[in-house]
Amino acid sequence: MEYKEIGKTGMKVSNLSFGASSLGGVFHQIDEGKAIEAVFAAIEGGINFIDVSPYYGHYKAETVLGKALRQIQRNKYLLSTKVGRYGKDGVNTWDYSAKRATESVYESMERLGIDHIDLINVHDIEFADLHQVAEETLPALVELREKGVVSHVGITDLQPENLQWVIEHSAPGTVESVLCFCHYCLNDDLLTEYFDFFESKGIGLINASPLSMGLLSTRGVPDWHPAAKSLVEACAKAAAYCNEVGYPIEKLAVQYAVSSPRIATTLFSSANPDNVRKNIEYVNQPIDRELVKKVQDIIGDQKRVRWNNS
């Protein structure tokens, strides 16, 4: 496992990190005991950065993660959670107001059983008025940073252009990190076009969803995946080829996602401890660069084909 700093935050994190969305039963029902064991497996395997949100499972992910974290020494991990996206009784809600953001931080700390958050993010800013994010949400989080309640402030989104806009319209030093998903993976390397911008601002980069929300998997995409049929089919062909040569596309995808020295860490999510251990093994093995080229050739003109979040 390699460790790199997120921007200029001083947080040195493992190049593979644990996303706790699966602990909320976002994708399917979970065994809570196994989910907690998955967190333990991540820490034991050298992962020291964990990301969650009140939105995942409508508070369930934070609650389950909190049960695990109460059994782990606080100096063993750095923790990131978010504000802005929520939900109740199966209904998604959004609130990017300063008041709700502040309340949310304290509520998250209570669910997680901690008294301090290492990194607080504004979640999926494409669902917000970007002016409100820059002028209201972020200043509220900066105030909490100044009080020592949180150490660092970031923003997350699927669309990297939104991240850039908010940074350009916020006071220097406000945003310390960005989290972007599905744009540094085998089928989409759009994020590379934004490396210079983020680095010029001293902002750290967190990558997420190395399997592109299931596109890059042997099992294939879930029914809810928003990708176009042509992209789904191209990735399925790539997965089939990897299967033929005995190199699971999941392994190649995870290895590729952590391969850039300009990305601090890549988040993956699983509530299965065996999957956690397997992914850790993947990143500790050398990547097959020739296979990367072959897979990207198969994906062909579907590379960087985008979709909207939902």
Side-chain angles (χ1 to χ4, degrees):
M1 194 77 71
E2 297 179 11
Y3 297 84
K4 291 178 280 189
E5 185 178 359
I6 299 177
K8 298 182 178 179
T9 63
M11 293 190 294
K12 288 200 74 174
V13 298
S14 46
N15 60 341
L16 183 70
S17 48
F18 186 80
S21 58
S22 291
L23 274 58
V26 174
F27 308 110
H28 49 73
Q29 290 296 315
I30 63 162
D31 178 314
E32 187 172 296
K34 287 285 188 183
I36 291 171
E37 187 183 337
V39 180
F40 296 159
I43 298 296
E44 291 163 3
I47 289 174
N48 72 340
F49 182 66
I50 300 172
D51 175 80
V52 70
S53 167
Y55 170 68
Y56 301 145
H58 295 171
Y59 309 109
K60 181 178 178 180
E62 285 191 331
T63 301
V64 174
L65 178 60
K67 293 179 181 179
L69 295 182
R70 285 175 175 86
Q71 302 176 64
I72 301 172
Q73 291 181 357
R74 186 63 178 89
N75 63 358
K76 294 288 188 181
Y77 63 89
L78 295 162
L79 183 69
S80 163
T81 191
K82 308 180 183 77
V83 303
R85 292 196 76 177
Y86 311 98
K88 186 177 181 182
D89 299 327
V91 178
N92 296 333
T93 60
W94 294 262
D95 188 339
Y96 294 88
S97 67
K99 180 177 182 294
R100 184 69 189 105
T102 302
E103 292 172 348
S104 181
V105 168
Y106 289 102
E107 291 169 4
S108 288
M109 288 195 296
E110 184 174 349
R111 283 188 292 270
L112 292 161
I114 58 174
D115 59 8
H116 175 264
I117 293 171
D118 300 293
L119 173 63
I120 190 70
N121 291 292
V122 185
H123 197 178
D124 286 347
I125 59 175
E126 68 184 280
F127 291 102
D129 176 338
L130 297 185
H131 291 275
Q132 183 184 29
V133 172
E135 298 166 11
E136 182 179 351
T137 323
L138 282 170
L141 299 183
V142 167
E143 185 175 334
L144 292 177
R145 183 174 66 189
E146 292 170 348
K147 291 179 178 178
V149 177
V150 304
S151 290
H152 305 286
V153 173
I155 51 178
T156 87
D157 204 7
L158 172 63
Q159 317 296 355
E161 57 267 33
N162 290 339
L163 299 171
Q164 179 171 337
W165 191 96
V166 168
I167 291 164
E168 291 175 333
H169 291 80
S170 300
T174 296
V175 177
E176 299 171 85
S177 69
V178 295
L179 188 164
C180 190
F181 56 102
C182 296
H183 288 308
Y184 191 80
C185 46
L186 288 170
N187 62 292
D188 191 327
D189 63 354
L190 176 66
L191 208 48
T192 60
E193 295 190 2
Y194 292 83
F195 283 173
D196 289 347
F197 172 77
F198 294 135
E199 289 174 3
S200 73
K201 303 294 184 181
I203 292 170
L205 183 54
I206 300 168
N207 182 34
S209 197
L211 305 188
S212 200
M213 298 178 1
L215 275 173
L216 303 169
S217 67
T218 305
R219 182 172 56 187
V221 298
D223 292 339
W224 49 260
H225 201 291
K229 182 180 179 182
S230 55
L231 175 57
V232 172
E233 291 175 347
C235 290
K237 288 179 182 177
Y241 179 81
C242 287
N243 191 50
E244 288 174 12
V245 300
Y247 200 117
I249 195 168
E250 292 89 346
K251 177 179 179 179
L252 189 70
V254 169
Q255 291 176 325
Y256 178 82
V258 302
S259 66
S260 173
R262 301 177 77 175
I263 292 174
T265 188
T266 293
L267 291 158
F268 80 101
S269 186
S270 178
N272 183 325
D274 292 333
N275 286 341
V276 172
R277 297 185 187 102
K278 184 165 58 177
N279 279 285
I280 292 171
E281 288 178 10
Y282 289 163
V283 301
N284 288 327
Q285 297 172 6
I287 188 171
D288 184 336
R289 287 290 177 184
E290 290 186 5
L291 185 56
V292 169
K293 184 178 185 306
K294 179 62 179 178
V295 163
Q296 291 183 331
D297 286 344
I298 292 171
I299 293 170
D301 63 5
Q302 293 303 299
K303 189 176 179 184
R304 290 199 183 185
V305 169
R306 301 174 69 174
W307 62 80
N308 291 323
N309 204 353
S310 61

